[in-house]
Amino acid sequence: MLTFIFLISILVGYLSFSIYKNAFIGVLISQNSEGQYVVTDHSSKTHWGFGRIFVGDVITEVDGQPAKDFFSIKTYGLLERASTIHLSRIGEDGSLHHIQLHVDNQLSLNELMIQLFSPLTAVLIFSGLSFFVYRRKKGDPAAVQLILFFLSIGIAYLSSLSSGRADPIGRLTMTFTILLVPIFFLQFMSYYLRRYQETIVNRRCLGVLYAVICIIMGLNLSKILFNFGSPMVISTLILIYFIGINIYIIFRLVQKFLAHRHGGPLKSLFKLILIGHVTGFFPFVFLFAVPQLFGISFLSPEIAAVFLLTIPIVYLYMFTTNQLFDIDFLINRVLYYASLSFLPTLVISALAALLLSQDNHSWVKWSQLFLVCYLLVTLMLFLKEYADLKLRPRLNKDLHNFQGSLNRFSARISRVMKRSDLERVLEQEIYHVLPVKKVAFLEVDTDRLSELKLDPSLADIRESVISAVQASANQLVIGTVLNVERGICVIAGKKLNILHVLWLDVKGNRTKYNLDELAWLRTLANYSAIVYENLYLIESLVEELELEFQKQKGADTSPWLLRLIFKLSEKERRKLASDLHDSALQDQLIWYRNLESAMLDHDMSPELYEKLVNVREGLLDVIHQIRETCNELRPPLLQEMGIIEALEGLFEQAQIRSNYIIDFRYGVVTADINDEQLLTIFRIVQELLRNASKHAKASHIRITLEQQRNDIRLTYMDDGIGLKLEDLKDSYQHMGLSGIKERVHSMEGVIDFKSEPGNGLEVEISLPLESVSWDRESEGDSDGSHLAG
C-alpha cells in the first residue's frame, strides 16, 4: 500500500512539474511537399503561441535542433516544450523574414489556476475520497475497484494537461488512465451488484477490453520509441474506444433500470447510477470527444473534465450509504420548478434584449429592466399558487396518496376507543402508503433511558434510539423525526416524561424518506397525539369513576358509568348537530337563495345558465347531506314522534341509501319510554343497519320490537355473511357491535348474538323499562334544545 502511494505521488509530482515548467504553446505542425515544417493551426487565444506564431509560418529550428529532429514535432506534430523557436515568415510585401522567439515558460496566475491548481485539486479530492473508501470498506473488492476508478479519473485529468504539452510520460499516463476509467467502473459495478445477484459485464467482455487497451498502449509506445504510426490514428482509436465503451455502459444501465422500473430495491439504485453516469460523461463524450472526431469543438477538454467530478460523488454516496435519497422525488421537483421557470426566463430574456437594444441612458435601461423583472417575478409567484394546485399533483402522484391518506386516517381515528386500536390504524395506514418493511411502537421514558426495553428483533436499534433521544432532549415535540441506526423514529405522543414513538424501518427501495413523506408522517403524528391525549384523559376519568363506583357497589362493571359516558357522547352529538344546523346549513341556504335570485334577475347565455343550474343542484345536495348528518347526530322529535315512527323514518332513509329490504314488525308498546331509552333503542338499530350495509352485505333484514311485561324486546335478523362469535372482541374491526353491547349493558339489559359464517346474524336484546340504579342519577337531559333538522 505504501509503495503504491509512493509511486502515485512521484507520478503526480512529475506531471505537475511538467505542466509548471512548460508553457502551453498550442501550435500544430505538418510537413509540406518541400520538406518544410509549416504551422497549420493554433488552438486557443489562451495559449502562448497565439498572436506570435501564425498559420503558414515555417519552423526551421527549435532549441538549437532542426525542426525535423525536435521530439514533439517529429513524434506528435506539435510544437511544445520549446525554449527558443526560429521560423520564417513571408511579410505583406512578399519579402521573407527570419524570426527568433523566446518562449516565456512562466505561467500566469490564470494559467496556473486552470492548468495546474484545478487538476491538482481534483487529484487531492479523489485521493481523499479514495482514503475515505479505504477506511470505511477495507477488504471489500468493490472498494478497491472504486479507489482505482477515482484515482484514474484524477490522474487522467492531470496528465491530459501534461499530454497536451507533448510530454511522453504524460501522454502515456493519460492514454493508460483514460482507457482504464470505464474498465474500473465496470469491475466496481460487477463486485457491487453481486450482493444483489446482478451482473453488468462478463469476464469475456472484460478480456476483450483489456486486449484493446494493450493494443492502443503498444501503438503509443511504438510511436514514442520508434516514431512508428500516426498520432491522429492513435487519438482517434482512443476516442472511439472511450465513446463506445461509455455508450455500452449507458446501454447496460438502461437495460437494468428497465428490468427493475416497476419497483423493488434496485429501481432507485439503477436510476441514480444512470443519472450520475450520464451527467458526468455526457459533456465529455458528446460535447468534446464525439465532435473531435469531426474536427469540431463545442467544449474545451478542461471544462468537459470538470463534469467528471460528479461521478465519484455519486458512486461514493451510493457505496458508503445504507439508504439512497429519493431520486424520483428529486426529479419530480426539478421538473416542476424547471417548467415553472421556463416561461418567466423566456419573457425576461426577450424583454432584456429589447430594452438593452434601445438607445437610452444606461441607468434608464437598468431601471426598466428591474421593473419588468420585478413585475414578472411577482406575477410568477402569484401564479405559482395555481400551479401548486393543478400542475404539481400531476408531476408528483404521491400528493394524491398523502391527501387521501390523511382524509382516510382522520375518519378512522374518529371511532378509536383504545390506544391499541389507534396504533393498529396508524400502522395499517403507513403500510398502505409507504414501502416500509416493518413498523413498531415504542414507549420511551426519558428519565429512564438506560432501562429502555425493546422487542428482541429491534435490539440493534436500541442504542441509537437512546442516543437520538438524548441528543434531542430539549426538542422532543410532537412530530419530531429522529434518525436511528435503521430507519427513523417519529414522536407521536407525549405525556410528562413518557414518549410514544413510532419507529419505521428503512424503505423497501433503500431510499431515504423524502420531504413530502416526512411532512405526511408529522401530520399523522399530530393527529395521533391529539387522540393519545384524549385517550389518556378518558382512561384516567374511567379509572377514577370505576374506582369510586366499585367502592360504593363493589361491582366489576358499572352500567351507570357506561350510561354517563353515552350521555356525554350524545350531548356532544347534539352540540355538533346544533352547530351544523345554525351555521353551515344556514349559510348554504343563503347562498342557494342568492344564486336563484341571480339566475332570475340577469340574462345569461344558455351555457352559463346550465352551469349555474348544476351548481344549484350541487348546493341542494350539500344542504340535504347536512340535514341528514344533523338528523343522524340527533334524531328530530324522537320523543314527540315515538319510537315506532322514528324507526320507520330511519328505515325509509336507510333503504334509499342501501341495497337491503327491511321487514319491520312491532307490537303494542303501552309503557312510557323515557328519552334515554328511546335514544338507546334508536342508536342500537342505527348501528345494526350500518353494520349490515358495510360489513354483513345483507339483502334482507327483519326487525321486531315489542313489549313483554316490564321489558322492551328488540330482535334483529339478516341474511348477511355472518361471523364467528369467538372472533367477536372489543376491537377496532367489531367496534360497532361492541358499542351495541356496551349500550345494552349501560341500560342493565341483556343481549345475545347468534351467528355462523354464511348464515347471517341474529341479535336479541332485552331492555328493562325500569331500573333501581337509574334512581342514582340526579340530572336529566330531555329539554330538546339542540334538536336539528
Side-chain angles (χ1 to χ4, degrees), residues 713-773:
R713 296 186 61 85
L714 175 69
T715 305
Y716 168 92
M717 298 176 62
D718 68 38
D719 59 353
I721 60 175
L723 73 158
K724 293 182 179 180
L725 292 180
E726 56 268 23
D727 294 338
L728 182 59
K729 300 176 182 178
D730 293 345
S731 64
Y732 176 77
Q733 289 82 356
H734 304 291
M735 194 176 297
L737 298 181
S738 299
I740 293 173
K741 289 171 61 179
E742 291 176 350
R743 279 190 179 272
V744 172
H745 185 58
S746 72
M747 304 299 292
E748 299 185 9
V750 178
I751 186 170
D752 183 28
F753 290 97
K754 297 178 182 178
S755 180
E756 292 181 0
N759 290 332
L761 173 67
E762 181 178 349
V763 183
E764 293 184 356
I765 298 171
S766 177
L767 300 177
L769 290 172
E770 295 180 359
S771 173
V772 175
S773 65

Side-chain angles (χ1 to χ4, degrees), residues 240-251:
I240 291 175
Y241 163 86
F242 194 78
I243 294 168
I245 194 171
N246 276 286
I247 291 176
Y248 170 76
I249 289 173
I250 291 174
F251 171 74

Side-chain angles (χ1 to χ4, degrees), residues 464-477:
S464 61
V465 170
I466 294 175
S467 300
V469 172
Q470 289 175 336
S472 305
N474 298 325
Q475 301 174 344
L476 293 174
V477 296

Side-chain angles (χ1 to χ4, degrees), residues 586-598:
Q586 301 306 318
D587 290 342
Q588 295 292 332
L589 290 171
I590 291 172
W591 285 112
Y592 176 78
R593 295 189 185 103
N594 290 339
L595 179 60
E596 277 196 326
S597 177

Side-chain angles (χ1 to χ4, degrees), residues 184-246:
F184 289 143
F185 169 75
L186 287 172
Q187 292 182 156
F188 161 69
M189 290 301 300
S190 296
Y191 284 114
Y192 181 76
L193 293 176
R194 282 182 184 177
R195 64 191 70 179
Y196 302 108
Q197 289 76 49
E198 292 281 343
T199 58
I200 194 169
V201 66
N202 54 43
R203 292 180 178 272
R204 181 179 298 178
C205 182
L206 286 175
V208 172
L209 294 176
Y210 275 115
V212 173
I213 291 175
C214 291
I215 293 171
I216 295 177
M217 289 301 298
L219 292 174
N220 259 285
L221 285 171
S222 65
K223 182 61 182 173
I224 293 172
L225 298 176
F226 309 110
N227 196 22
F228 175 77
S230 168
M232 183 61 68
V233 171
I234 296 173
S235 299
T236 303
L237 284 176
I238 294 173
L239 287 176
I240 291 175
Y241 163 86
F242 194 78
I243 294 168
I245 194 171
N246 276 286

Side-chain angles (χ1 to χ4, degrees), residues 53 65 127 130 196 271 276 326 360 440 471 555 565 582 673 712 741:
I53 302 175
Q65 302 179 43
S127 300
S130 301
Y196 302 108
K271 182 177 286 189
D326 195 334
N360 294 332
I565 293 174
D582 296 339
I673 303 178
I712 293 290
K741 289 171 61 179

Side-chain angles (χ1 to χ4, degrees), residues 12 16 19-20 107-127 153-161 165 300-309:
V12 170
S16 302
I19 295 170
Y20 178 74
L107 301 182
S108 66
L109 180 60
N110 185 53
E111 290 173 331
L112 282 173
M113 289 297 298
I114 296 176
Q115 300 179 24
L116 183 59
F117 293 155
S118 293
L120 269 179
T121 302
V123 171
L124 291 175
I125 291 173
F126 285 123
S127 300
I153 293 178
I155 295 175
Y157 186 15
L158 179 65
S159 61
S160 64
L161 295 164
R165 289 165 165 78
S300 68
E302 293 87 359
I303 300 300
V306 172
F307 287 91
L308 297 175
L309 299 177

